[in-house]
Coordinates of all heavy atoms in Angstrom, one line a residue:
Chain A
E9 N 96.4 87.0 90.9 CA 95.6 86.3 91.9 C 96.5 85.2 92.6 O 97.5 84.7 92.0 CB 94.4 85.6 91.2 CG 93.4 86.6 90.8 CD 92.1 85.9 90.3 OE1 91.7 85.0 91.1 OE2 91.6 86.3 89.3
P31 N 132.7 75.5 94.1 CA 133.4 76.1 95.2 C 134.5 75.1 95.6 O 134.4 73.9 95.4 CB 132.3 76.1 96.3 CG 131.0 75.7 95.7 CD 131.3 75.1 94.4
Q55 N 119.6 71.9 97.4 CA 119.2 73.0 96.5 C 120.4 73.7 96.0 O 120.5 74.2 94.9 CB 118.2 73.9 97.1 CG 116.9 73.3 97.4 CD 115.9 74.3 97.9 OE1 116.2 75.4 98.3 NE2 114.6 74.0 97.8
T59 N 121.2 71.1 89.8 CA 121.2 71.6 88.4 C 119.9 71.4 87.7 O 119.7 71.4 86.5 CB 122.4 71.1 87.5 OG1 122.3 69.6 87.6 CG2 123.7 71.6 88.1
A107 N 108.8 92.7 106.3 CA 110.0 93.2 106.6 C 110.5 94.4 105.7 O 111.5 95.0 105.9 CB 111.1 92.1 106.7
T132 N 122.4 84.0 112.3 CA 122.9 84.8 111.1 C 123.5 86.1 111.5 O 123.6 86.4 112.7 CB 121.6 85.0 110.2 OG1 122.2 85.4 108.9 CG2 120.8 86.2 110.7
Y157 N 123.6 88.3 114.8 CA 124.8 89.1 115.2 C 124.8 90.3 114.3 O 125.0 90.2 113.1 CB 126.1 88.2 115.0 CG 126.1 87.1 116.0 CD1 125.5 85.9 115.7 CD2 126.8 87.3 117.2 CE1 125.5 84.9 116.7 CE2 126.8 86.3 118.2 CZ 126.2 85.0 117.9 OH 126.2 84.1 118.8
P167 N 119.0 101.7 116.3 CA 118.3 100.9 117.4 C 116.9 100.5 116.9 O 116.4 99.5 117.4 CB 118.2 101.9 118.5 CG 118.4 103.3 117.9 CD 119.3 103.0 116.7
L257 N 108.0 91.0 76.1 CA 109.2 90.8 77.0 C 109.9 92.2 77.1 O 109.9 93.0 76.2 CB 110.2 89.9 76.3 CG 110.1 88.4 76.6 CD1 111.2 87.6 75.9 CD2 110.1 88.1 78.1
E294 N 125.5 98.7 90.8 CA 126.3 98.7 92.0 C 126.8 100.1 92.3 O 126.8 101.0 91.4 CB 127.4 97.7 91.9 CG 128.4 98.1 90.8 CD 129.5 97.0 90.7 OE1 129.4 95.9 91.4 OE2 130.5 97.3 89.9
P331 N 134.6 99.0 102.0 CA 134.1 100.1 101.2 C 133.9 101.4 102.0 O 133.7 101.4 103.2 CB 132.8 99.7 100.6 CG 132.4 98.5 101.4 CD 133.6 98.0 102.2
H350 N 129.0 84.4 87.1 CA 129.1 83.5 85.9 C 128.3 84.1 84.8 O 128.8 84.0 83.6 CB 128.7 82.1 86.3 CG 128.9 81.1 85.2 ND1 130.2 80.7 84.9 CD2 128.1 80.4 84.4 CE1 130.2 79.8 83.9 NE2 128.9 79.6 83.6
K444 N 145.5 97.3 96.1 CA 146.0 97.0 97.4 C 145.1 96.0 98.0 O 145.6 95.0 98.6 CB 146.0 98.3 98.2 CG 146.9 98.2 99.5 CD 146.9 99.6 100.1 CE 147.2 99.4 101.6 NZ 146.9 100.6 102.4

Side-chain angles (χ1 to χ4, degrees):
Chain A
E9 286 190 47
Q55 292 188 344
T59 53
T132 197
Y157 293 86
L257 271 181
E294 64 184 4
H350 188 68
K444 200 173 152 196

